[in-house]
Amino acid sequence: MADNEPAAEGGGEGTEVVAAPKSKLKLIIMVVGLLAVVGGGAATWFLFFRHHDEEAHAEAAPPPKPPAFVEVPDMLVNLVGSPGERVQYLKVRLVLEVKEEKQVEAIKPNMPRVTDIFQTYLRELRPADLNGSAGLFRLKEELTRRVNSAVAPIQVSAVLFKEIVVQ
């Protein structure tokens, strides 16, 4: 019986050791459950309620100012061709788009420079350079780059074609 008593005592200690991990396991499960509930609540707030605040701020913002436009005088230039071919001409009516009306007044004194830069560039084009929408897009991008260099502190948003004719 003496052998049974220490075994019972050892079994009692073993029971306490086993009981400690069960209580830790319960604690871990409760913490994980709490984190899941808090995480679910946070996810719900981000998905459903957070956007309403941004919409209220977006509605309160003033509407953007409409852009201003600067007319460029009509240009008629001859295109570069191979010797023996008939001469082809390019007629262009352009408008410059700027962000504010006060920029229009700043660009007008520089209009002779802008016209000169445009005509110099346009006279170097070949009829093949203007084929298709890709050719016109490249032309528009190049003219925008050149006008921005001519009116340096002022930024032109875009060069818009009002009319473009190749004859």
Side-chain angles (χ1 to χ4, degrees), residues 18-134:
V18 173
K22 284 186 179 178
S23 64
K24 286 183 181 179
L25 181 63
K26 286 181 182 179
L27 180 65
I28 291 173
I29 290 173
M30 287 182 358
V31 168
V32 168
L34 180 66
L35 288 176
V37 170
V38 170
T44 302
W45 182 79
F46 275 112
L47 292 175
F48 297 111
F49 300 115
R50 181 177 58 101
H51 298 295
H52 296 296
D53 294 337
E54 291 175 4
E55 290 172 5
H57 291 294
E59 292 172 337
K65 294 180 183 177
F69 299 99
V70 181
E71 291 279 335
V72 177
D74 294 355
M75 287 182 255
L76 180 65
V77 297
N78 56 333
L79 298 173
V80 175
S82 300
E85 288 184 355
R86 69 178 181 94
V87 177
Q88 290 187 310
Y89 296 96
L90 172 67
K91 181 181 179 186
V92 180
R93 290 179 58 204
L94 300 170
V95 176
L96 306 177
E97 180 182 345
V98 292
K99 292 182 181 181
E100 297 176 351
E101 189 67 34
K102 62 184 173 184
Q103 292 176 334
V104 171
E105 298 305 319
I107 288 177
K108 284 187 179 180
N110 292 324
M111 196 53 68
R113 179 176 290 128
V114 171
T115 304
D116 178 58
I117 289 174
F118 283 175
Q119 284 192 359
T120 304
Y121 176 70
L122 293 173
R123 287 183 186 276
E124 292 297 320
L125 293 176
R126 295 179 300 274
D129 295 335
L130 301 172
N131 286 342
S133 61

